[in-house]
Amino acid sequence: MIEVSNISKSFTLHNQGGATINVLEGCSFTVAAGECVALTGMSGAGKSTVMRMLYGNYLADAGRIEVAALNLVEAEPREILALRKGTLGYVSQFLRVVPRVSTLDVVAEPLLVNGVAEDEARDRAAQMLARLNLPQALWDLSPTTFSGGEQQRVNVARGFVYDYPALLLDEPTASLDGQNREVVLSLIEDAKSRGAAIVGIFHDDGARARVCDREIDVTSFSVGRAA
Amino acid sequence: MSVTPLLDVRGVTKHYGRHIGCKDVGFKLYPGEVMGIVGESGSGKTTLLNCLAGHQAADAGQVIFDTRVEGPRDTLLMSEPERRMLGRTDWAFVHQHARDGLRMGVSAGGNVGERLMAVGARHYGDIREQALDWLERVEIDGARVDDRPTTFSGGMQQRLQIARNLVTGPRLVFMDEPTGGLDVSVQARLLDLLRGLVRGMGLSAIVVTHDLAVVRLLADRLMVMKDGHVVETGLTDQVLDDPQHAYTQLLVSSVLQV
């Protein structure tokens, strides 16, 4: 489902003397349907960079990144948008939404853009928010003023409300209490059993051990740190 | 994906004497896509928009629009009446200053109804009903339908201008700094409204702005202009989060964090 071959990434900071930071080189791995793979390595190794490249948010300098047979490195913006719409979900650590849109609508959106009828989309969004124990009193409010843990659950709800065949999870259990951490882990297990290919960053060792089938140490692709 | 682009722009160039307005700009816009054009004042983004919309004559290039009846046609070669018809039907233009896009001496309802009449609507009751429906969609109290826009706040005027433009169900909307000059709280409301309308009607849009927050929320794709040239294009979040060109990096890093 996800096939990364030989990608490299550097950042050139034109306004800081043209400094070039080489981050990754020769990064290759694959993730099959129904598999959850953890990216590991210390801070700065490039875990988030890999995740962002998998989502088309960062450009790769070279190599191939295939998600559902689309090579992101050469794809047109509209092809990447189409992939994100129906195939590739992303639970990030940041919630970026238009102010004023209710939490229920924010969570229902992935269903609406995939053609699910409005009533059903809202029902499913409500079920997902209830499963994540987000108080119903918050559903009609914009999540922009929520606490970190509440925003995190809105992010998780958005990522799991639609059955994406591929999912990227950036610390999905961060800032969650034990009960909600358990809900998120069961959502990941459900997604795996329906055949989703998942790539995640988990600083929570217990969570990683429970849901991940394999680990990929990004440090081995880090430039200057590998040796 | 072999979809016909809604708008296929090739080599559009405009000079002001020896000064470059915009130079050799090309891109394809597909149905349902929203493209943002960013750059600082004088970068040529408004000149480009005006050339695309036919408000200014380009010196060179093609602006090929996929018309409903005849398929792709170069709008720069169209006759003036043809282009005017396009401007009243499939195209819409939202000006930065609402008063440039509204008739200030005509009631709110009249402003919306006028565009309907321009495409042949004649039944007064229907026109009024549609006007009221659109005022509601842009969150203007129907009780204000007979008031002139001069009595409206800036945010209301801008929403009225949007209603006037979208009432005929255009397929392509040009927007020049649609949230410029509005309070931040009013901007958020307008953005939310625009996003809902664009998604709901499946519109394609080209939005010129210098506000990166606006494009992040509204645009699928981004084009960055400097001194009349396109220096970078790509997916909006990619251009903002991993900018490649020195100028884009400067633009992104200059935004104050709140």
Side-chain angles (χ1 to χ4, degrees), chain A residues 91 103 106-108 110-111 124-125 127-130 132 134 150-162 164 184 187:
Chain A
V91 176
T103 296
V106 165
V107 176
L111 295 169
R124 282 167 65 182
Q127 282 168 26
M128 187 56 77
L129 289 169
L132 285 156
L134 196 83
E150 287 162 355
Q151 290 198 354
Q152 175 68 7
R153 280 178 278 160
V154 175
N155 261 335
V156 170
R158 247 161 88 92
F160 285 91
V161 74
Y162 180 75
Y164 294 103
V184 173
L187 283 170

Side-chain angles (χ1 to χ4, degrees), chain A residues 9 12 14 57 84 109, chain B residues 192 199 237 241-242 244 249:
Chain A
K9 177 65 183 169
T12 303
H14 293 289
N57 180 232
R84 288 177 178 182
E109 201 195 347
Chain B
D192 173 27
R199 298 271 166 91
D237 60 283
D241 293 339
D242 188 16
Q244 306 294 306
Q249 291 184 356

Side-chain angles (χ1 to χ4, degrees), chain B residues 84-198:
Chain B
R84 262 208 304 274
M85 194 57 192
L86 202 57
R88 283 201 296 253
T89 54
D90 270 353
W91 285 12
F93 197 102
V94 176
H95 294 265
Q96 174 176 7
H97 302 291
R99 44 184 64 239
D100 295 336
L102 290 173
R103 292 228 293 156
M104 300 306 280
V106 174
S107 70
N111 263 285
V112 179
E114 196 176 49
R115 210 168 127 115
L116 282 171
M117 288 169 68
V119 294
R122 286 293 173 263
H123 187 279
Y124 177 78
D126 290 348
I127 293 171
R128 192 173 169 87
E129 199 174 304
Q130 276 207 59
L132 279 166
D133 174 49
W134 267 93
L135 290 184
E136 190 184 314
R137 286 214 226 177
V138 297
E139 302 168 15
I140 293 174
D141 185 352
R144 304 292 302 269
V145 63
D146 295 319
D147 295 348
R148 290 182 182 185
T150 40
T151 67
F152 288 5
S153 69
M156 281 172 75
Q157 288 182 1
Q158 195 56 297
R159 281 180 273 134
L160 179 62
Q161 191 195 180
I162 288 164
R164 174 180 162 98
N165 270 284
L166 298 190
V167 66
T168 50
R171 292 192 292 151
L172 175 61
V173 185
F174 300 96
M175 297 189 220
D176 187 9
E177 303 274 8
T179 61
L182 299 175
D183 286 341
V184 178
S185 60
V186 179
Q187 279 190 19
R189 183 178 187 186
L190 193 69
L191 271 181
D192 173 27
L193 184 79
L194 278 175
R195 217 166 87 120
L197 291 171
V198 166

Side-chain angles (χ1 to χ4, degrees), chain A residues 161-188:
Chain A
V161 74
Y162 180 75
D163 290 342
Y164 294 103
L167 259 177
L168 307 175
L169 309 174
D170 192 354
E171 300 224 44
T173 58
S175 61
L176 295 185
D177 57 40
Q179 187 193 1
N180 285 310
R181 172 179 176 272
E182 187 57 36
V183 175
V184 173
L185 294 180
S186 66
L187 283 170
I188 296 172

Side-chain angles (χ1 to χ4, degrees), chain A residues 9 11-15 52 56-59 77-81 84 96-101 109, chain B residues 1 30 33 139 188-189 192 195 199 216-217 220-221 234-235 237-238 241-242 244-246 249-250:
Chain A
K9 177 65 183 169
F11 295 95
T12 303
L13 309 174
H14 293 289
N15 300 300
R52 284 169 175 265
N57 180 232
Y58 281 5
L59 296 174
R78 69 201 172 94
E79 294 174 310
I80 297 178
L81 289 170
R84 288 177 178 182
R96 227 177 218 131
V97 293
V98 179
R100 235 168 60 108
V101 179
E109 201 195 347
Chain B
M1 290 192 261
Y30 290 88
E33 271 188 333
E139 302 168 15
R189 183 178 187 186
D192 173 27
R195 217 166 87 120
R199 298 271 166 91
R216 179 163 318 249
L217 292 175
D220 304 310
R221 288 163 54 193
L235 212 55
D237 60 283
Q238 180 264 303
D241 293 339
D242 188 16
Q244 306 294 306
H245 191 276
Q249 291 184 356
L250 184 67

